[in-house]
Amino acid sequence: ASEQITVKDVPLANFSYQNACLGDSTYFTDESYSQLGYIASWDWNFGDGKTAEGDNIAHTYQQPGDYVVTMTVNGKEGVFVETAELNIVAPSNIGVIPNIFSPNNDGNNDLFVIQTTEIKEFVLIIQDKNGQTVFDTTDPNFQWDGTNKANIPVPSGNYNIIIKAVGTDGKNFIEGGVLRVITE
């Protein structure tokens, strides 16, 4: 005699999330299958020491990094746990571009720098009034000392700055401006 086995669909807990960016709300949404029936509670652990209850939750991460998020669903059919790993990244950014620079070795404002965050592609070009490139770099952490490609200090005057960059989050940057160089 053969025994008949009935296979039930295994009810699963599931959730989705949107916006895994540092300092912004990350939105978590319960998407557990209807087979779970009535759900009495949702408990969330965001992997950063913070917890919450509810089916749709917003949480803000204060530090970039990898976090394991756990949602525990307690329902009519039992307790189910779902986890997901999030990589929280800082948003990409190009800081303020200085418009004046005095590379005269007085210890004040002798290096031209721009603060950047999470930039993966970067091009900076500085041109004189004739359109000649006096400095260029692909390093977002560059420091320019006011010398040209022949390592000769550039004369005082106005220089055009062109920046093209792409952040690790895919954001594109195209910036430009005029830099007043004062060498006296």
Side-chain angles (χ1 to χ4, degrees):
S2 67
E3 191 176 314
Q4 187 167 348
I5 298 172
T6 303
V7 178
K8 279 177 66 175
D9 287 337
V10 177
L12 296 174
N14 194 25
F15 67 90
S16 64
Y17 61 90
Q18 292 180 317
N19 189 24
C21 208
L22 182 70
D24 290 338
S25 291
T26 302
Y27 299 97
F28 297 92
T29 304
D30 172 45
E31 294 181 345
S32 299
Y33 295 124
S34 60
Q35 293 99 314
L36 286 178
Y38 171 76
I39 297 175
S41 66
W42 297 262
D43 293 308
W44 298 84
N45 182 322
F46 300 108
D48 63 352
K50 304 282 193 228
T51 60
E53 295 178 11
D55 56 347
N56 299 311
I57 297 292
H59 179 68
T60 303
Y61 287 91
Q62 302 301 323
Q63 296 293 324
D66 293 325
Y67 297 92
V68 175
V69 178
T70 305
M71 178 188 73
T72 303
V73 177
N74 187 353
K76 185 173 83 173
E77 299 292 323
V79 176
F80 300 91
V81 177
E82 180 65 21
T83 62
E85 186 169 315
L86 270 67
N87 177 254
I88 302 296
V89 296
S92 62
N93 190 39
I94 300 278
V96 175
I97 301 169
N99 61 2
I100 194 162
F101 166 53
S102 60
N104 55 8
N105 293 317
D106 66 356
N108 185 27
N109 200 21
D110 286 332
L111 292 173
F112 176 76
V113 297
I114 298 170
Q115 299 300 319
T116 63
T117 307
E118 294 294 327
I119 298 295
K120 69 177 178 180
E121 295 176 29
F122 183 85
V123 175
L124 172 126
I125 301 169
I126 299 177
Q127 298 175 329
D128 65 17
K129 64 184 177 193
N130 299 319
Q132 296 297 311
T133 299
V134 295
F135 178 78
D136 62 357
T137 184
T138 57
D139 179 4
N141 301 310
F142 76 95
Q143 295 182 333
W144 183 44
D145 62 3
T147 58
N148 65 17
K149 292 176 177 254
N151 212 26
I152 299 167
V154 299
S156 291
N158 290 334
Y159 292 80
N160 291 317
I161 300 171
I162 303 155
I163 298 173
K164 293 181 182 175
V166 179
T168 55
D169 54 6
K171 185 175 178 184
N172 287 301
F173 298 88
I174 299 175
E175 307 278 341
V178 176
L179 174 65
R180 175 89 178 132
V181 177
I182 302 169
T183 57
E184 294 88 38

